[in-house]
Amino acid sequence: MSLFPKILATALAGAVLGLGATYASLTRGIGFEAVKAGPWRGTPQISVVGGDPYARARVSRSGQVLLGTAEGLSFSAAVDSTGARLRTGCDYRVSGATPVARNWTLGLARPDGTLIATPFARYGFTSSELLRDARGDFHIDIARAARPGNWLPLPGEGDFLLVLRLYDSPHSTSAKTLEARELPTINAERCS
Amino acid sequence: MRQKRAPLTTQGRLAWLAGVLIIAGIVHLCSILIMPQIAPNTPYARIAARTPVNRFVLLPPVAPGESALPFEDPAMALGACRFDLTRGPVRLRGQLAADALVLLSFHGRTAQTFYAMTDRSALRGAIDVVVATRDQLDEIESHDTEDELPQELRLEAPSLQGFMLVRALAERPSLMGEARERLSSLSCEG
């Protein structure tokens, strides 16, 4: 092989490898600054100057407007508390103590951030409409069949995420130290 | 007679491999850094496709198949003002009535939040924010008198274009109309 094709092949291989790494880091979140607490992954605001270029690239590509530090912090979960992938074949129960926030909401979304069509247009719960037990704890059942209490309809098919948003919360400034027990747990109940 | 070229030595192969890796690294870093400029669906592009310039408008409720922005909370009423500072500063004003959650955030063109606040930081529910470039801010400040503090919050925008996003929480689905009502008192003046 003479020199020119060799240089061309090297450049091409480098470009493919480089763009592949970019694609992987943007779609899989590799190299992405995120807050982890149990099954939850949080995405704190990207700082205006400096900050993580990966985070900025990922956000511009997804089109998502992250909550600012003063507004709150949002989390998503693609797995349950044991680490198993969320799937439509299971019923789930989300339970725990109330997260520290002025308001919070919990709902479902597709991995691309769109809403899932459900009966009764019930997409999620806000902290003020939840039914709670005597100690102030709550359970949300995510299932296909209707349940008494706090019931979120599970989509019939496809991947989905649980999205937890804490508004006006002290966690958004101290998110790095968040512990799993401060956020609700996600447990699979019955799987078919 | 020309000598036949020797097959690549291990050292030669490693050199080419290093070349591939170095190019890959450069391409990777450049594409990450340039992504906010070239991505077609940035938050700004999505807002720009749906809203007029320098006017505060309510966005349609978040619903399956219809959402101005991904991962928006369906419990939130959304309003936006896309701004263009070419012809002067833009001012967001309004009166927030009840003690209900309202989030305000200010964004440049490339996925940057340059300021965010809640209704709690509004003085007696009054929202009065001026977004301007550095030069425009200097101009405004040159008219300030010493004994009178400015009443409005002044923000320096990182780019000429950007948008303000306001979210109002409906604590129950039945309160969505009321949440949208809360936002409709806001206005944007260019």
Side-chain angles (χ1 to χ4, degrees), chain B residues 59-137:
Chain B
L59 297 173
V62 180
E66 167 50 54
S67 176
L69 300 161
F71 288 106
E72 277 305 318
D73 192 338
M76 286 283 186
L78 297 178
C81 167
R82 171 161 67 105
F83 63 79
D84 186 336
L85 307 175
T86 319
R87 287 202 270 154
V90 173
R91 187 169 205 157
L92 178 74
R93 299 178 85 160
Q95 186 67 37
L96 301 173
D99 181 40
L101 184 79
V102 176
L103 310 176
L104 302 101
S105 57
F106 301 80
H107 310 268
R109 254 196 107 117
T110 54
Q112 301 173 339
T113 307
F114 62 89
Y115 195 77
M117 60 190 268
T118 69
D119 58 291
R120 287 266 164 95
S121 36
L123 194 66
R124 284 185 293 275
I127 299 289
D128 190 356
V129 185
V130 171
V131 176
T133 63
R134 184 70 253 165
D135 289 350
Q136 289 163 352
L137 282 180

Side-chain angles (χ1 to χ4, degrees), chain A residues 12-32 53-55 57-58 61, chain B residues 20-33 35:
Chain A
L12 208 66
V16 169
L17 206 63
L19 291 177
T22 301
Y23 183 77
S25 64
L26 293 186
T27 50
R28 289 164 192 272
I30 299 163
F32 187 52
Y54 285 91
R58 190 172 151 109
R61 196 170 157 277
Chain B
V20 168
L21 288 179
I22 288 168
I23 292 172
I26 293 170
V27 167
H28 173 61
L29 283 181
C30 289
S31 57
I32 286 287
L33 289 176
M35 190 59 73

Side-chain angles (χ1 to χ4, degrees), chain A residues 29 32-36 41-44 52 176:
Chain A
F32 187 52
E33 199 177 80
V35 178
K36 292 176 190 170
R41 298 287 173 273
T43 318
D52 185 345
K176 292 272 179 259

Side-chain angles (χ1 to χ4, degrees), chain A residues 104-105 165 167, chain B residues 62 71-78 167 169 176:
Chain A
W104 56 271
T105 69
R165 302 172 178 92
Y167 294 120
Chain B
V62 180
F71 288 106
E72 277 305 318
D73 192 338
M76 286 283 186
L78 297 178
R167 301 168 169 115
L169 181 70
M176 183 49 84

Side-chain angles (χ1 to χ4, degrees), chain B residues 43-64:
Chain B
Y44 177 80
R46 286 164 181 266
I47 293 288
R50 288 170 174 83
T51 59
V53 73
N54 293 354
R55 247 186 66 201
F56 184 82
V57 289
L58 288 179
L59 297 173
V62 180

